[in-house]
Amino acid sequence: MPDAILAAADLHRSYAFAESAVPALRGVSLSLEAGAFVAVMGPSGCGKSTLLQLCGAMDKADSGSLKLDGREVTTMNDTDLTRLRRERIGFVFQFFNLLPTLSVLENIAMPLLLARVSEKVAFEKARALAQRVGIDHRLDHYPNQVSGGEAQRAALARAVIHEPALLIADEPTGSLDSHNGQRVLELFQELNRDLGISILMATHDAQVAAMAKQTLRMKDGRVVS
């Protein structure tokens, strides 16, 4: 049986609002095996994004356990969380979050450059990934000079250049038309299949969720199926 890359047990998370606490997660448990591709579905406000933020080590649960690669995330300090995100997790969001003053090539290479990999190696790997996702002809362009589909493919290449164990994707096709959205989802499937990267993706679109291997449905801060 494949090892669990991600294991969450009884996660709770509430946020302060006015003078009360509003629960976002009410005891969520899930497990992702190596090579999993899981879509999380549910209406707005059901807790999808909160769950992804916790699983991506961008936020901390109020209670419960979260393990990535067998390491307990909830007890890590900020330095360890930063290292974990940089080395083991990739992120793709609805809005591409490319740095406007950097070229597409530099944006893709950024995780390796931050990890002090040499420019030569980082740029070589960025060029290879750009070719794989079909934007190698845009490497000298800046984010405002490429289409939304090309920007999201650049964001996807950036997210996996450091070979993470887990890719977190929050509504990755939400800003794209159907053609570009389909192309991006096909790339998710290809990277999941060929590189073995586990993917946890939030979406409200059943057609998007159908591209994953498994679907979890959430309602009112709980996994319901």
Side-chain angles (χ1 to χ4, degrees):
M1 182 175 179
D3 294 331
I5 289 293
L6 180 76
D10 199 26
L11 293 178
H12 289 258
R13 183 71 171 103
S14 296
Y15 297 100
F17 182 75
E19 296 181 358
S20 61
V22 178
L25 295 183
R26 305 169 185 253
V28 170
S29 299
L30 64 95
S31 179
L32 264 69
E33 297 174 349
F37 184 179
V38 176
V40 182
M41 285 195 70
S44 296
C46 72
K48 299 190 303 293
S49 292
T50 298
L51 177 61
L52 264 62
Q53 288 168 3
L54 296 185
C55 291
M58 294 181 285
D59 190 15
K60 282 192 174 183
D62 297 325
S63 63
S65 171
L66 178 67
K67 292 182 178 180
L68 182 65
D69 280 348
R71 299 171 60 201
E72 182 61 55
V73 176
T74 57
T75 56
M76 289 184 179
N77 60 34
D78 289 343
T79 300
D80 289 339
L81 288 171
T82 299
R83 184 179 300 114
L84 180 71
R85 289 191 298 267
R86 184 177 295 172
E87 294 177 357
R88 303 299 290 157
I89 307 172
F91 299 93
V92 179
F93 301 101
Q94 178 176 350
F95 301 104
F96 322 120
N97 294 344
L98 299 177
L99 297 173
T101 58
L102 299 182
S103 68
V104 170
L105 175 64
E106 291 165 333
N107 266 286
I108 295 173
M110 184 53 59
L112 294 185
L113 297 174
L114 289 173
R116 292 186 167 83
V117 174
S118 72
E119 281 194 5
K120 181 177 184 294
V121 171
F123 288 155
E124 281 180 357
K125 193 163 186 180
R127 289 188 183 95
L129 269 173
Q131 183 174 18
R132 181 166 197 156
V133 300
I135 55 168
D136 47 316
H137 60 302
R138 295 296 199 191
L139 289 177
D140 293 331
H141 291 68
Y142 288 84
N144 66 350
Q145 298 173 321
V146 301
S147 70
E150 290 167 338
Q152 191 63 303
R153 281 182 269 163
L156 178 55
R158 178 185 60 186
V160 301
I161 194 170
H162 59 302
E163 300 177 11
L166 175 66
L167 179 62
I168 298 287
D170 196 354
E171 299 284 1
T173 63
S175 296
L176 304 178
D177 60 38
S178 58
H179 173 74
N180 281 302
Q182 181 69 20
R183 175 64 180 133
V184 166
L185 289 169
E186 288 169 355
L187 288 169
F188 271 77
Q189 289 182 319
E190 180 182 323
L191 294 170
N192 171 251
R193 180 185 67 242
D194 297 347
L195 302 183
I197 297 172
S198 299
I199 301 173
L200 184 63
M201 175 181 71
T203 181
H204 66 276
D205 188 328
Q207 289 184 311
V208 172
M211 302 289 283
K213 296 175 181 175
Q214 180 185 356
T215 300
L216 296 179
R217 296 182 185 275
M218 292 188 67
K219 183 179 180 181
D220 299 331
R222 295 185 174 92
V223 174
V224 294
S225 66

